[in-house]
Amino acid sequence: MTEEPVPVTRAVDFGTAKLLPDVDRARAWLLTVDDAPQSYVDLDDPEHLEFEYTRRIAHVLESAFDTPVHAVHLGGGALTLPRRLALTRPGSRQWVVEADRGLAALVAEHLPLSDPDITVHTTDARAWLAAAPDASADVIVADVFHGSRVPAHLTSVEFLREAVRVLRPGGVYVANIADGAPFAFLGSQLGTVRAGFGQSADLCLLAEPGVLRGRRFGNAVLAAARRPLPLDALARSCAGDAFPARVVTGTALAALTRAPVHDATATASPVPPDGAFTVG
């Protein structure tokens, strides 16, 4: 008789982590830190993405590249996107940077990963980028949250310039941003990414209409590249989701954009309102 999976709770570097089994999927787990959802992974079906924002990040990566990539994931969680990309773009070389050593150890113990082309580094994301070679990555995914907030030192123009340096020509930067109306943080991040990439770069934002209209706090996925982004393919993919998203570009994106932030003025992302992402 197969034993039922049981929840795991452990103190990690930046809070209390929990692994909660999904009663509907035999080997699927939700990872939370201080009750804020961080990752969802199905070990039997790594291509399954439960969170809408992770599907949108995958849409960007898989629309922009149809061959293996060198990908950097800033923020590890349960390694959801690296596991998927290893299947959808086989042969990809991936580096995962996770600052929380305790969290990385928990995931390695309970959600093991055997792919030799995925390497996990337990260090600060910005410090890792600063040491990375120029033009060494096709993709950088920024999804770093300490609890439910993006650390301030990962929100500045100086940080973005390091990311641009590490990207190859034609490389794509993707960031998960959580905010709500009046979108002060989201607007500053649009301005910061624009300043880091330059005015000629292509930018877009993927988000649900309810978030964009200010009806609720939520996630928006920002993509940037010094080449045209595959906007038509992204629009089709986002429209086909269970919770459809809009692809925002041009004047609508410019209307959201605010002044960039630098190290001296950078702040962490806003505290989500009660109940925005918390699970029981």
Side-chain angles (χ1 to χ4, degrees):
M1 184 174 179
T2 304
E3 293 185 3
E4 292 293 325
V6 296
V8 177
T9 301
R10 183 179 299 176
V12 293
D13 297 7
F14 301 132
T16 299
K18 295 179 183 178
L19 283 172
L20 306 172
D22 186 337
V23 297
D24 296 320
R25 301 175 75 94
R27 297 181 68 227
W29 297 85
L30 172 67
L31 170 67
T32 71
V33 176
D34 291 341
D35 291 330
Q38 299 290 318
S39 298
Y40 177 101
V41 64
D42 187 335
L43 298 179
D44 289 333
D45 183 13
E47 289 189 53
H48 173 74
L49 301 178
E50 187 76 8
F51 294 168
E52 290 86 359
Y53 84 86
T54 58
R55 290 200 295 273
R56 289 167 198 145
I57 294 174
H59 292 333
V60 174
L61 304 186
E62 293 163 13
S63 296
F65 299 95
D66 57 9
T67 57
V69 296
H70 282 199
V72 174
H73 303 266
L74 304 178
L79 310 180
T80 303
L81 283 166
R83 296 174 201 262
R84 177 185 168 99
L85 197 60
L87 295 175
T88 61
R89 297 295 180 267
S92 293
R93 184 75 179 91
Q94 302 187 73
W95 294 267
V96 180
V97 186
E98 173 57 62
D100 191 321
R101 294 173 180 268
L103 183 63
L106 175 69
V107 170
E109 178 182 346
H110 291 277
L111 308 175
L113 180 73
S114 58
D115 192 326
D117 289 328
I118 302 175
T119 303
V120 178
H121 299 267
T122 50
T123 189
D124 175 75
R126 185 159 168 181
W128 190 92
L129 269 188
D134 293 357
S136 56
D138 300 300
V139 173
I140 295 176
V141 178
D143 188 18
V144 181
F145 283 78
H146 289 178
S148 57
R149 304 183 73 187
V150 180
H153 71 297
L154 305 182
T155 68
S156 68
V157 172
E158 290 83 357
F159 164 72
L160 257 297
R161 286 175 179 159
E162 285 290 350
V164 170
R165 178 187 62 78
V166 173
L167 282 172
R168 292 171 173 168
V172 177
Y173 174 82
V174 191
N176 175 30
I177 299 170
D179 200 7
F183 301 118
F185 180 72
L186 174 60
S188 73
Q189 289 307 287
L190 288 167
T192 297
V193 172
R194 175 65 73 190
F197 273 80
Q199 293 301 313
S200 62
D202 203 11
L203 269 66
C204 72
L205 194 69
L206 286 58
E208 289 180 35
V211 172
L212 292 170
R213 292 170 184 155
R215 293 176 180 171
R216 65 181 183 84
F217 191 97
N219 296 95
V221 170
L222 191 163
R226 285 177 167 169
R227 64 166 167 111
L229 292 167
L231 299 178
D232 290 343
L234 284 176
R236 289 192 297 270
S237 296
C238 288
D241 271 344
F243 296 92
R246 285 177 52 202
V247 179
V248 183
T249 61
T251 56
L253 193 70
L256 286 169
T257 302
R258 300 193 180 188
V261 296
H262 293 264
D263 282 343
T265 56
T267 61
S269 63
V271 177
D274 289 345
F277 299 127
T278 301
V279 297

